[in-house]
Amino acid sequence: MRVLSGVTIAEASETTVAVRNVLDSEQVSIRQSVRHLRFVALSHHREATAALCDPAVDAGPATDDGRADRLSAVVERYFVRSLARLDEVDRLGEGRPDLFCFFQLAENLRRVAACADRIATVAAESEAPPESDAAPRRTGADAHVDAFEAVAEDAREAVETAADTVFDPDTDGVRRVLERREDVRATVDDLGRRLFEAPDGAYPLPRALPAIRETADCAASIASIGLRRALRRRALGSAGLHDSDAAGTDSPVPSETDD
């Protein structure tokens, strides 16, 4: 039951199990849950990158203990409930279009956490055995390591900025994210070629490069969500309405009221 967010065992016997939902919709903030998910995913991504690039850093577990999946499940649970129950929409204080956007954002952040898991797995598998006193640096030349760290940081910053465009729609921010995504993809391709041509073909870095590319692609997907929210906000303004007019309703144009 530990993998099910907000669910606890109320009663159990040899033949039956009764479960109870302990999450109160009125006490749940979808936005805060997504912000927490962003923190978890990017923190894990940063730690995994550090473990891969620096032999002195313990790679630790290859996953984030399921925190990202549980937070994503919370957002999905309440989004699905809102589709069937209008009172759930009222209690959450978000319109259905907003809830759908946050659900999509959470799914992309879960993908970012999965990318971090892949990087952490590469770091853990490439660690030198403790009994090896003369183990070479596992990530190759310092220049390659520095380039990998830099492009990983660029991808994370793109995700951070993209998520901001969903919480606070900003078309300029969307443009910056899309430009950074292209820069990351170009850098990943260039670094991949350089590593392929390097004398030591055992570097683990090439195995982690696809995760960096996918992280940047997640940022672009998130930015597209932010763009849709920005366009809805513009449509709301053109119609002479305000955010409060759409708050807590099933209007096609969502509320922009933030926590």
Side-chain angles (χ1 to χ4, degrees):
M1 299 300 294
R2 293 179 60 188
V3 299
L4 300 178
S5 297
V7 175
T8 186
I9 297 177
E11 184 179 338
S13 69
E14 293 183 357
T15 58
T16 62
V17 174
V19 297
R20 182 166 60 91
N21 176 28
V22 297
L23 290 180
D24 183 349
S25 300
E26 294 182 350
Q27 297 178 357
V28 170
S29 170
I30 295 299
R31 297 182 189 230
Q32 287 304 107
S33 295
V34 176
R35 286 190 175 103
H36 189 192
L37 174 56
R38 175 175 63 174
F39 172 79
V40 168
L42 293 180
S43 294
H44 183 39
H45 199 289
R46 188 175 297 105
E47 292 164 359
T49 301
L52 179 62
C53 293
D54 187 350
V57 175
D58 182 11
T63 69
D64 65 350
D65 298 327
R67 286 179 297 166
D69 287 338
R70 288 194 295 273
L71 286 165
S72 177
V74 167
V75 177
E76 179 181 8
R77 173 182 175 82
Y78 283 100
F79 168 64
V80 172
R81 284 168 63 93
S82 74
L83 296 178
R85 300 180 55 176
L86 285 175
D87 59 336
E88 193 76 12
V89 176
D90 293 336
R91 283 196 292 266
L92 291 170
E94 304 283 357
R96 280 175 174 159
D98 279 343
L99 290 171
F100 181 57
C101 286
F102 295 138
F103 164 69
Q104 289 184 305
L105 172 54
E107 284 295 292
N108 278 281
L109 291 172
R110 184 182 57 78
R111 288 175 56 201
V112 172
C115 291
D117 288 345
R118 288 157 55 190
I119 297 170
T121 297
V122 173
E125 292 176 350
S126 61
E127 285 185 324
E131 62 274 10
S132 177
D133 295 329
R137 181 183 176 98
R138 68 172 182 268
T139 50
D142 286 346
H144 294 150
V145 175
D146 292 343
F148 183 92
E149 288 182 313
V151 75
E153 179 65 24
D154 284 346
R156 288 192 297 271
E157 289 181 358
V159 171
E160 186 91 24
T161 302
D164 286 339
T165 70
V166 178
F167 292 120
D168 185 14
D170 173 16
T171 55
D172 288 337
V174 170
R175 175 182 51 78
R176 291 194 299 272
V177 170
L178 296 179
E179 290 174 350
R180 178 159 289 188
R181 191 272 295 266
E182 293 307 311
D183 290 342
V184 168
R185 290 171 65 93
T187 301
V188 165
D189 290 343
D190 177 67
L191 182 56
R193 285 191 294 269
R194 284 191 285 146
L195 288 168
F196 179 78
E197 296 169 356
D200 185 353
Y203 299 149
L205 292 183
R207 296 171 53 203
L209 282 175
I212 302 302
R213 177 191 288 271
E214 185 174 347
T215 301
D217 289 342
C218 289
S221 295
I222 294 170
S224 70
I225 301 169
L227 179 60
R228 291 198 300 272
R229 291 202 75 208
L231 293 176
R232 284 199 299 269
R233 170 181 279 185
R234 185 172 301 173
L236 180 63
S238 298
L241 301 176
H242 300 284
D243 294 341
S244 58
D245 297 325
T249 71
D250 197 23
S251 169
V253 183
S255 165
E256 302 300 336
T257 304
D258 206 338
D259 294 330

